[in-house]
Amino acid sequence: QVQVVESGGGLVQAGGTLRLSCTASGLRFDDYGMGWFRQAPGKEREEVSCIDWRGTDTYYTDSVKGRFTISRDNAKNTLYLQMNSLKPEDTAMYYCAAVHWVRATTTLCPSTFDYWGQGTQVTVSS
């Protein structure tokens, strides 16, 4: 079956960096667009960044532009999120998700993704 597993979260001071990883198995990774989402306590889940199946097109929500970088290594079935200049407001559970490319032809971050991970916690202290 399909498994999506995030790693790399942790506690970091404001201004610090973290690199999240997401490994997917049980699917043909390069058939899928990928995305990072986050949810803070008491808030709705929000899309952070998405990338197409080739790794050439990317999307970032405004609050992370210039600080976060999404990338993927299809040979390793792995998605990354490099997070620099972290702020306390970045504190959240971060989730990785996969969407088949046929459902991501008009937007990199469609409203429905096919597979989700369990999340990794990112906490940024001030």
Side-chain angles (χ1 to χ4, degrees), residues 36-92:
W36 287 102
F37 297 78
R38 66 187 180 186
Q39 187 167 20
K43 295 187 177 181
E44 292 188 355
R45 186 179 65 201
E46 65 168 338
E47 57 197 24
V48 175
S49 181
C50 295
I51 189 168
D52 73 327
W53 63 272
R54 295 164 295 185
T56 54
D57 291 334
T58 59
Y59 161 84
Y60 298 94
T61 194
D62 286 346
S63 62
V64 308
K65 283 181 181 176
R67 300 189 298 122
F68 290 10
T69 303
I70 190 171
S71 62
R72 64 189 295 162
D73 185 338
N74 287 349
K76 296 182 178 180
N77 282 19
T78 302
L79 175 74
Y80 304 100
L81 186 68
Q82 178 68 41
M83 304 188 295
N84 299 332
S85 302
L86 282 161
K87 303 176 180 180
E89 51 263 44
D90 294 318
T91 295

